[in-house]
Amino acid sequence: ETGVTQTPRHLVMGMTNKKSLKCEQHLGHNAMYWYKQSAKKPLELMFVYNFKEQTENNSVPSRFSPECPNSSHLFLHLHTLQPEDSALYLCASSRTDSGNTIYFGEGSWLTVV
Amino acid sequence: AQSVTQLGSHVSVSEGALVLLRCNYSSSVPPYLFWYVQYPNQGLQLLLKYTTGATLVKGINGFEAEFKKSETSFHLTKPSAHMSDAAEYFCAVGSNAGGTSYGKLTFGQGTILTVHP
């Protein structure tokens, strides 16, 4: 238990579906992140939020839409995805002091069919 | 700009043998360095990190790593491998440049460690 909880753990969706991934952190952190982990590729930072404000969008396609209603919750809304978007999506959180540890959730396995 | 290279996508050792996982980085600013471990079907768990100070860093489960600035390396070691160490290990570099640099880790491609009985 890392203090970062992701749901659902597994999701299968069609290319025309709309679904959302949810993340909640119980660590009192003020920064939250979405990372993407694909087979045979390094982890890729997708989005960064600091106190609900998006501070980084790493050239992510608009079919991925993040939402951060408060510093404890983070969503990733998914719409019109492609099969190549199938991956493990990892949520993480940290304080905003540089060098602070980033704590990861257990991830949401997404399969797009 | 930062980058991380993990030498060897797969490392295999016998139980009780030395574990050495190699990581080299590049960074235009003084780096923060991390090793994470990922067990099957789980997220990433921090093993250890280097920020400032002592260059030999001890982590959980008997692992340690040494920051060598001259070699731009941060290799992970454990004197005696255990079956439970089998997992994928990721080296990552972050920046201490301040501002919005927090959390922006650049990861290596990972090294899968296999431990044989």
Side-chain angles (χ1 to χ4, degrees):
Chain A
E1 176 59 49
T2 65
V4 181
T5 304
Q6 290 188 240
T7 55
R9 293 294 314 279
H10 298 270
L11 176 63
V12 179
M13 60 185 289
M15 289 188 284
T16 58
N17 291 159
K18 288 184 180 181
K19 298 286 185 182
S20 296
L21 306 180
K22 178 183 177 181
C23 177
E24 182 174 1
Q25 59 96 359
H26 309 276
L27 300 169
H29 293 159
N30 49 18
M32 296 189 76
Y33 316 84
W34 282 115
Y35 277 84
K36 177 183 179 181
Q37 186 177 26
S38 305
K40 300 182 179 180
K41 293 178 67 176
L43 276 80
E44 303 170 68
L45 178 64
M46 300 174 71
F47 301 105
V48 180
Y49 277 83
N50 177 12
F51 286 114
K52 307 184 297 179
E53 299 297 321
Q54 187 180 123
T55 59
E56 182 91 2
N57 176 338
N58 207 14
S59 302
V60 180
S62 60
R63 58 185 183 270
F64 295 92
S65 174
E67 178 189 2
C68 189
N70 54 61
S71 58
S72 298
H73 294 84
L74 184 65
F75 296 88
L76 187 62
H77 302 301
L78 314 169
H79 175 50
T80 322
L81 296 192
Q82 304 298 311
E84 58 266 28
D85 296 322
S86 299
L88 178 65
Y89 289 85
L90 291 163
C91 176
S93 71
S94 77
R95 288 165 36 193
T96 49
D97 314 58
S98 288
N100 269 285
T101 300
I102 297 175
Y103 293 87
F104 286 85
E106 296 199 332
S108 293
W109 283 99
L110 172 67
T111 302
V112 181
V113 297
Chain B
Q2 298 177 309
S3 67
V4 175
T5 301
Q6 290 182 238
L7 299 176
S9 58
H10 291 80
V11 170
S12 181
V13 300
S14 299
E15 192 172 19
L18 171 71
V19 175
L20 171 60
L21 304 183
R22 299 177 187 273
C23 172
N24 288 89
Y25 71 91
S26 68
S27 178
S28 56
V29 297
Y32 292 148
L33 294 159
F34 305 81
W35 275 100
Y36 283 86
V37 61
Q38 186 176 34
Y39 298 101
N41 300 316
Q42 294 188 24
L44 276 69
Q45 179 183 2
L46 181 73
L47 273 179
L48 49 80
K49 69 176 183 180
Y50 167 80
T51 53
T52 59
T55 56
L56 181 62
V57 181
K58 295 186 185 298
I60 62 171
N61 302 337
F63 284 94
E64 62 182 36
E66 186 171 11
F67 170 58
K68 292 187 176 180
K69 183 178 178 180
S70 61
E71 298 178 8
T72 61
S73 69
F74 191 57
H75 302 329
L76 181 70
T77 61
K78 181 174 180 178
S80 177
H82 193 273
M83 297 294 288
S84 60
D85 295 326
E88 189 163 15
Y89 292 79
F90 294 91
C91 181
V93 60
S95 169
N96 72 352
T100 58
S101 64
Y102 57 86
K104 295 178 185 177
L105 297 187
T106 299
F107 284 83
Q109 291 184 301
T111 298
I112 296 174
L113 175 66
T114 304
V115 182
H116 296 288

